[in-house]
């Protein structure tokens, strides 16, 4: 298993409160991603990082921000949680495997279940 | 932009029967294709991937997939299903964009149920 740890694994929070999810990797991989999973949608990319302090938006970035101050940690923040952000959040990592960036395999963490009430 | 379609939301097969899960993609260049499996409450595990070369790809747990460029498909197959294969299966297409490494676009998933 890829060395990816997500915390917390489960959280219930109230609408309007800030929430931060943490992803920690021990693989020293360059790329880190945050996805959300919702029924019928598969996984959709929220934000990604291509290095320390280097981040960019994905497909569904509204309402989310990220930070990466160290190679091993990638934080996802919901500034003011809404019920539509109830979801399962997955962190993923990928590195360089010699086949080019497009071919790099992405490895996933175990997920963080977030419920906004 | 790339997209992935998994036409079957649910599939039920009997244990020991063969399995084929369908995946169709849309992508303007040579695709990088992946199949992942997810058990309840777990993360996604990579089953197999296609980058180039032989269009029939072997993966873990006895799965294989065939890339057919003319049909824009990457169907997953297994000759004999085991009860432990019950899970959700995701097809994904990858595309590197600038600094993004590998950007995966996922299909909606197919939930496999196995009858004893």
């Amino acid at each position: 298993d890829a060395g990816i740890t997500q915390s917390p694994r489960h959280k219930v929070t109230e609408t309007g409160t800030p929430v931060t999810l943490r992803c920690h990797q021990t693989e020293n991989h360059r790329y880190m991603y945050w996805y959300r999973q919702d029924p019928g949608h598969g996984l959709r990319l929220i934000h990604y990082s291509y290095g320390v302090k280097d981040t960019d938006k994905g497909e569904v970035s509204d309402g989310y921000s990220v930070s990466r101050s160290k190679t091993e940690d990638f934080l996802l923040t919901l500034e003011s949680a809404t019920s539509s952000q109830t979801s399962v959040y997955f962190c993923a990592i990928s590195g360089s495997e010699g086949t080019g960036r497009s071919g790099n395999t992405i490895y996933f963490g175990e997920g963080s279940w977030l419920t906004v009430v | 932009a790339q997209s992935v379609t998994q036409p079957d939301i649910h599939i039920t097969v009997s244990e020991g029967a063969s399995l084929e899960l369908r995946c169709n993609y849309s992508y303007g260049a040579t695709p990088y294709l992946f199949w992942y499996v997810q058990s309840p409450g777990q993360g996604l595990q990579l089953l197999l991937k296609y980058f180039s070369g032989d269009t029939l790809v072997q993966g873990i747990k006895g799965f294989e997939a065939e890339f057919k460029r003319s049909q824009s498909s990457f169907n997953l197959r297994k000759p004999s299903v085991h009860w432990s294969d019950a899970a959700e299966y995701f097809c994904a297409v990858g595309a590197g964009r600038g600094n993004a490494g590998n950007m995966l676009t996922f299909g909606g998933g197919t939930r496999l149920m196995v009858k004893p």
Side-chain angles (χ1 to χ4, degrees):
Chain A
D1 290 340
I4 308 171
T5 304
Q6 292 186 228
S7 59
R9 294 292 312 282
H10 298 271
K11 186 173 182 64
V12 180
T13 192
E14 293 185 348
T15 299
T17 60
V19 177
T20 295
L21 306 180
R22 178 178 183 246
C23 178
H24 178 78
Q25 61 143 331
T26 58
E27 307 296 321
N28 201 36
H29 279 349
R30 176 182 178 187
Y31 302 103
M32 299 186 75
Y33 310 83
W34 277 107
Y35 285 86
R36 61 176 288 173
Q37 182 179 28
D38 304 288
H41 291 279
L43 281 79
R44 293 177 292 176
L45 182 65
I46 305 171
H47 281 280
Y48 63 91
S49 168
Y50 49 95
V52 174
K53 294 186 167 50
D54 293 321
T55 66
D56 206 346
K57 297 178 180 179
E59 178 187 357
V60 290
S61 60
D62 287 349
Y64 301 94
S65 63
V66 290
S67 65
R68 191 170 178 197
S69 58
K70 298 184 288 185
T71 299
E72 58 266 35
D73 290 326
F74 192 35
L75 303 180
L76 176 71
T77 297
L78 290 65
E79 300 291 346
S80 178
T82 68
S83 58
S84 65
Q85 294 176 309
T86 293
S87 187
V88 184
Y89 292 86
F90 286 96
C91 175
I93 65 174
S94 73
S96 300
E97 298 176 355
T99 58
R101 293 181 304 209
S102 293
N104 294 343
T105 298
I106 292 185
Y107 299 94
F108 286 84
E110 294 292 298
S112 294
W113 274 253
L114 177 67
T115 301
V116 183
V117 297
Chain B
Q2 66 255 39
S3 66
V4 178
T5 301
Q6 293 180 244
D8 304 304
I9 298 175
H10 298 280
I11 283 185
T12 300
V13 300
S14 297
E15 190 169 18
S18 64
L19 172 70
E20 183 169 30
L21 302 182
R22 297 184 290 164
C23 172
N24 294 99
Y25 68 89
S26 172
Y27 184 58
T30 300
Y32 296 90
L33 296 160
F34 304 81
W35 274 100
Y36 286 86
V37 60
Q38 184 183 33
S39 298
Q42 301 296 312
L44 278 74
Q45 180 183 23
L46 180 69
L47 282 176
L48 48 78
K49 57 189 179 185
Y50 170 79
F51 290 167
S52 64
D54 193 347
T55 56
L56 185 62
V57 180
Q58 302 297 320
I60 62 171
K61 303 185 181 187
F63 285 92
E64 66 178 26
E66 186 171 13
F67 170 57
K68 292 186 177 180
R69 184 186 300 275
S70 62
Q71 298 177 20
S72 297
S73 69
F74 188 56
N75 293 349
L76 182 71
R77 300 193 295 247
K78 186 170 185 178
S80 177
V81 170
H82 188 263
W83 64 266
S84 61
D85 293 324
E88 190 154 21
Y89 292 79
F90 292 95
C91 180
V93 60
R97 290 183 209 152
N99 289 313
N102 197 1
M103 304 274 282
L104 288 185
T105 298
F106 284 85
T110 297
R111 183 168 296 281
L112 173 66
M113 289 172 280
V114 180
K115 292 189 300 185

